[in-house]
Amino acid sequence: MTTTFADLGLSDSILKALEKTTLKMPSPIQVQAIPHIMAGKDLMGLAQTGTGKTAAFGLPLLHRILDLGHPPAPKTVRALILAPTRELVSQIADNLEIFTKGTAVKVAMVVGGASLFKQAEKLKRGADILVATPGRLIDLLERGDVSLHATGYLVLDEADHMLDMGFIHSLRKIAKHIPLKRQTLLFSATMPKDIEELAETYLQNPIKVQVAPPGKPVERIDQGVHYLPNGDKALVLKEYLLKHPGEQALVFGRTKHGSEKLMKLLVAWGFKAGSIHGNKSQNQRDRTLTEFRNAELDVLVATDVAARGIDIPGVRYVYNYDMPNVPENYVHRIGRTARAGKEGTSISFCAPAEMGELQAVEKLLKKTIPVLGGAPWAADVVAAAPKPGQNRGQRPGQGRGGQKAGSQPIQRAAPGKPGAKPQGKPKPAGGNFAPRRSEGAAKPRAAGNRTPR
């Protein structure tokens, strides 16, 4: 028997709003989660991005808030939804605005990179639902611009990514402002030990719902890996992109600086490319994402800030220009393709220093990724590879060892082998786009200054 939204007990006003959306039938995560949330239970939901998690927690929250029948007090918040990135916060808020059309429910969002004064002014009137990044919310709490003393609902969306980005201290600080008597919902695509501990800390006898094995990528995605030095990655990426002109591609780099330089290089080569990362303002990121969604850009270069929750149906290809240093992020990256029943392709570039990251990904997937080019790096090559941050001296477009694009690769003899020539002071191998410390793995700082927000 097919379950409908009406079968889940949602109010007539919400059902009426849903009629004007593309949501006709509830997804598996919505069927499982909504009844428990409506009953006031704490819940831990395990589901990959793109499965309808926002509606799974948003619709029952709206139902319960509508039952209150009166507006929130000034500066107070009834329900708080925390998400790790500005893009995800914006997407959640946009969806909630659609669901609340025609009702008196007020939805607000606060993120870094936008006017703190304007956000504080909006919160003066109070909000039924506040969607926020942790850093900016702490800024507003410390200024006294918002109060969580009347917050009865707390939602942690993409909780695993929040932990990856070092937001655990921010979560602890925020939780102190929220009453212990509350309903807490935690949604995550993976279930590492840290998430289990987080659930034990903040959830009371939670109901656990799961619609797909954590970490399992979409089956419709063709995956492959290309083994090559860092200095060759840009040219090989160019060759791949030229094979599918007019089809959109998402390229993931590890660092803000490297992603920006790669984007500029692609533009110089004639590609319609843009970039989003933590150094971009919120307006810049929103504008670039809009251009990509509208097919005004063919290539979007991004750090892992774009890997979670961003639904861009036109993306056919995902390139892991740098391997992610958190294996679960691989699943989220490639999940940006094969959306809405379509097929997709994921191609990863693996340099010698990234063999460990690739092996961690394959361990998570419980399978070996097919080889598209090159061969797995030998242990001695991996051991001799420059560590992250050591190969920054190469200009864009150069091949390995710093030679110009299109020149013959420099053949380097291994130490101790016959024919080895003295090379003087060794030069850094690889290129500007070598893996360095991840944008999301920043050193701990004051919670109020954390980026991205």
Side-chain angles (χ1 to χ4, degrees), residues 8-335:
L8 299 176
L10 295 168
S11 66
D12 291 340
S13 58
I14 293 176
L15 293 175
K16 191 173 181 180
L18 284 172
E19 289 176 0
K20 300 176 182 178
T21 72
T22 57
L23 297 177
K24 302 306 177 187
M25 301 297 290
S27 68
I29 187 66
Q30 292 159 9
V31 170
Q32 292 190 45
I34 288 175
H36 294 301
I37 299 173
M38 297 268 281
K41 303 285 187 181
D42 283 9
L43 182 137
M44 180 165 58
L46 293 180
Q48 292 174 267
T49 56
T51 54
K53 287 185 291 181
T54 300
F57 61 72
L59 294 176
L61 283 186
L62 291 173
H63 176 93
R64 303 195 75 189
I65 288 170
L66 283 169
D67 279 347
L68 296 175
H70 58 84
K75 292 189 178 182
T76 64
V77 171
R78 284 174 167 161
L80 172 64
I81 301 171
L82 292 176
T85 67
R86 307 170 192 172
E87 283 72 24
L88 187 52
V89 165
S90 178
Q91 181 173 293
I92 293 170
D94 288 345
N95 285 333
L96 293 177
E97 290 283 3
I98 294 172
F99 301 152
T100 58
K101 217 164 192 178
T103 73
V105 174
K106 292 191 287 186
V107 179
M109 61 172 277
V110 296
V111 296
S115 169
L116 184 63
F117 174 77
K118 288 181 180 178
Q119 291 174 354
E121 283 295 304
K122 188 170 184 179
L123 287 173
K124 280 184 178 179
R125 300 187 294 273
D128 289 296
I129 301 176
L130 176 64
V131 194
T133 49
R136 176 48 58 94
L137 178 58
I138 288 175
D139 291 343
L140 292 161
L141 285 169
E142 290 177 344
R143 287 164 47 101
D145 292 322
V146 64
S147 170
L148 303 179
H149 76 273
T151 301
Y153 308 97
L154 171 64
V155 181
L156 305 177
D157 194 19
E158 300 288 4
D160 49 351
H161 195 30
M162 276 198 273
L163 295 188
D164 292 342
M165 294 176 69
F167 282 135
I168 185 62
H169 299 297
S170 300
L171 292 177
R172 289 173 183 154
K173 185 175 287 190
I174 292 168
K176 291 179 181 177
H177 292 264
I178 306 174
L180 289 175
K181 189 178 180 181
R182 64 173 186 261
Q183 183 178 11
T184 306
L185 313 174
L186 182 151
F187 285 82
S188 177
T190 59
M191 190 60 181
K193 185 178 179 181
D194 288 346
I195 292 297
E196 292 180 2
E197 294 174 353
L198 188 71
E200 290 176 2
T201 302
Y202 295 108
L203 278 67
Q204 298 293 323
N205 301 316
I207 302 295
K208 183 176 178 180
V209 298
Q210 180 173 335
V211 298
K216 185 178 180 181
V218 179
E219 299 297 340
R220 292 185 300 274
I221 301 174
D222 290 328
Q223 301 174 60
V225 61
H226 199 118
Y227 294 94
L228 72 171
N230 271 304
D232 290 350
K233 286 184 176 182
L235 288 173
V236 174
L237 174 64
K238 177 184 178 182
E239 292 174 5
Y240 273 114
L241 293 174
L242 289 173
K243 291 178 182 177
H244 52 85
E247 292 191 275
Q248 288 187 297
L250 187 50
V251 180
F252 283 104
R254 180 175 292 182
T255 67
K256 309 169 191 176
H257 178 69
S259 297
E260 185 69 11
K261 294 195 77 168
L262 176 59
M263 180 274 291
K264 291 179 179 178
L265 178 60
L266 292 175
V267 170
W269 281 342
F271 294 99
K272 292 186 291 183
S275 65
I276 59 170
H277 49 72
N279 280 349
K280 297 278 188 175
S281 71
Q282 187 59 40
N283 286 338
Q284 288 175 317
R285 289 159 68 161
D286 289 344
R287 185 167 60 250
T288 300
L289 274 174
T290 298
E291 290 173 350
F292 193 55
R293 283 196 178 97
N294 294 339
E296 297 170 30
L297 299 176
D298 291 329
V299 185
L300 179 63
V301 185
T303 53
D304 281 315
V305 73
R308 305 283 184 124
I310 305 302
D311 187 3
I312 306 174
V315 175
R316 171 69 192 278
Y317 295 87
V318 169
Y319 293 95
N320 290 303
Y321 190 86
D322 294 319
M323 292 300 299
N325 63 345
V326 177
E328 287 82 5
N329 282 354
Y330 174 87
V331 177
H332 301 296
R333 287 181 177 189
I334 71 172

Side-chain angles (χ1 to χ4, degrees), residues 254-255 257-258 325 388-392 432 434-438:
R254 180 175 292 182
T255 67
H257 178 69
N325 63 345
Q390 290 183 352
N391 41 0
R392 302 178 182 178
N432 285 309
R436 283 182 271 170
R437 179 168 54 83
S438 168

Side-chain angles (χ1 to χ4, degrees), residues 392-431:
R392 302 178 182 178
Q394 177 184 305
R395 294 188 301 275
Q398 289 180 332
R400 56 174 169 257
Q403 73 269 21
K404 293 182 180 179
S407 63
Q408 187 68 23
I410 298 174
Q411 301 297 325
R412 302 177 187 271
K417 289 188 177 181
K421 296 180 181 180
Q423 297 181 16
K425 187 176 180 180
K427 294 181 180 180

